[in-house]
Amino acid sequence: MQIQYSLEQLLAFQYVAEDLSFKKAAERLHLTPTALSHRIKKLELALELKLFERRTRKIILTAEGEFLLKHVQAGFVQIQQAIDHLQAHKQRLFTITTIPTYATEWLIPYLPDLQRLYPEVMFRVHASYDVVNMHTGQYDLAIRYGMGGYQDLRSSLLAKDEYIAVCHPFLLKEPVKWDAVPLIHFSWGDEYCPKRINWQKWYQQQDLHIDSSQRQVFYNEEGHAIRAVLAGQGVALLSKVAVAHYLKNGSLVQVSPLGLEALDYYFVSLLNVDKLTLDIEAWCREKLLKTLDR
């Protein structure tokens, strides 16, 4: 069946019928009275019915108009109820941007828990070391490694961090010989971490020296260094936050109490933060701090 009338025409009819005034209805619809009158005329022509009787100083509904008004009002109520229902049950997209290590070691393993808590939310994880523009609206929450104090943004501390020497437990069957142990290197690069975090600095603080004959492997991605140390390939300087759950479950052990000062993990969001963002921050902080307080 081909429909010859539009929702705009029916809404115009409803407003005129409720107010019994073209002028008042036109103001509600932000139309001129002439444009509104033309819209009603097109509806009457499409229906082949007279909906109003136009008298000298007023208009009244015809019997057909009264019948139609009752059903048009009910129809618009049903449409609004359907839209309200869909809006209430649609999934919200929530995007978290963070550095690759945090995404791999924390967000991905625990994301199913977060999804169970918020089934109405569809999560997207964006992993990159690059600085992102939070004002574009593409990201709801950033978890960054830095010093805080981000301009025109809200930031709060997630966790303080340090870099510690870790290895697979079987490498500690005998005391570590620091002039012979295989070293796994990981370097952020100065553009990401202005604090110098490397084995040379760690050895100097212990008044030790790296022997030229020591086996060494260099990685530019912390996740690769974590995989290497889990495979028992040597000792690595890694973020305590990144490897916290491996230390807790015994997959890795801390070789020395000495750590190197590093940057810290911060939540970053727009200033007008909403409740969902605050709740997700609280969830992330609780998960992480429980593991760090092992």
Side-chain angles (χ1 to χ4, degrees):
M1 181 180 70
Q2 187 175 5
I3 298 176
Q4 301 294 330
Y5 50 86
S6 66
L7 285 177
E8 288 85 358
Q9 291 169 353
L10 291 175
L11 185 62
F13 163 73
Q14 178 180 320
Y15 280 16
V16 174
E18 288 173 344
D19 294 330
L20 292 177
S21 167
F22 277 88
K23 182 180 178 182
K24 290 181 180 178
E27 290 174 354
R28 291 172 67 185
L29 290 167
H30 304 288
L31 295 172
T32 64
T34 301
L36 178 58
S37 179
H38 181 67
R39 193 171 287 186
I40 296 297
K41 187 66 176 177
K42 288 183 68 175
L43 177 62
E44 289 180 321
L45 289 173
L47 298 177
E48 298 181 349
L49 292 172
K50 189 174 182 181
L51 302 174
F52 296 98
E53 286 188 12
R54 295 160 178 82
R55 298 185 178 177
T56 305
R57 294 189 176 181
K58 65 178 180 179
I59 58 172
I60 62 172
L61 282 165
T62 63
E64 293 84 357
E66 289 180 353
F67 179 84
L68 182 61
L69 175 61
K70 180 173 63 174
H71 290 280
V72 166
Q73 287 173 324
F76 276 116
V77 167
Q78 288 185 327
I79 290 171
Q80 188 59 54
Q81 288 174 342
I83 291 172
D84 291 344
H85 175 83
L86 292 173
Q87 291 289 336
H89 291 83
K90 74 176 182 180
Q91 279 197 316
R92 172 181 169 179
L93 176 63
F94 192 94
T95 301
I96 302 173
T97 177
T98 187
I99 62 173
T101 304
Y102 190 88
T104 301
E105 303 300 338
W106 281 100
L107 279 185
I108 293 173
Y110 293 111
L111 199 57
D113 294 344
L114 197 57
Q115 290 173 310
R116 280 190 288 271
L117 282 174
Y118 301 99
E120 74 284 3
V121 178
M122 180 168 58
F123 290 96
R124 172 177 173 261
V125 177
H126 171 265
S128 174
Y129 292 117
D130 295 334
V131 176
V132 299
N133 184 354
M134 296 295 291
H135 295 284
T136 63
Q138 292 179 281
Y139 311 102
D140 297 280
L141 177 64
I143 301 174
R144 310 310 291 180
Y145 200 60
M147 294 179 284
Y150 301 94
Q151 187 175 4
D152 298 326
L153 293 169
R154 170 189 166 274
S155 65
S156 62
L157 181 68
L158 166 58
K160 299 190 74 63
D161 196 23
E162 63 176 333
Y163 269 69
I164 57 174
V166 297
C167 71
H168 193 283
F170 77 70
L171 289 182
L172 291 184
K173 290 180 179 179
E174 298 179 358
V176 175
K177 296 179 180 179
W178 288 107
D179 60 349
V181 65
L183 298 180
I184 297 170
H185 296 262
F186 157 65
S187 175
W188 280 75
D190 291 340
E191 69 272 28
Y192 296 122
C193 186
K195 297 189 178 184
R196 196 161 60 93
I197 300 171
N198 54 46
W199 275 119
Q200 286 80 5
K201 183 177 180 179
W202 190 90
Y203 268 68
Q204 287 171 7
Q205 289 190 4
Q206 299 237 58
D207 199 24
L208 296 170
H209 299 281
I210 298 175
D211 192 275
S212 59
S213 64
Q214 280 182 258
R215 183 157 50 90
Q216 302 182 59
V217 181
F218 294 80
Y219 295 98
N220 69 333
E221 169 56 57
E222 190 170 20
H224 299 159
I226 292 173
R227 300 280 82 74
V229 77
L230 283 169
Q233 295 176 10
V235 182
L237 272 179
L238 297 172
S239 159
K240 188 174 183 179
V241 167
V243 299
H245 50 288
Y246 297 122
L247 294 171
K248 186 173 184 177
N249 65 27
S251 299
L252 296 177
V253 291
Q254 186 170 345
V255 181
S256 166
L258 176 67
L260 293 181
E261 183 183 1
L263 303 179
D264 301 313
Y265 283 90
Y266 285 88
F267 294 117
V268 184
S269 63
L270 296 178
L271 294 174
N272 56 335
V273 64
D274 63 4
K275 184 178 183 301
L276 177 61
T277 302
L278 292 174
D279 288 346
I280 291 174
E281 284 186 9
W283 179 88
C284 289
R285 185 179 285 112
E286 181 184 11
K287 282 283 185 184
L288 181 56
L289 294 184
K290 277 185 178 179
T291 304
L292 290 174
D293 294 337
R294 57 192 177 94

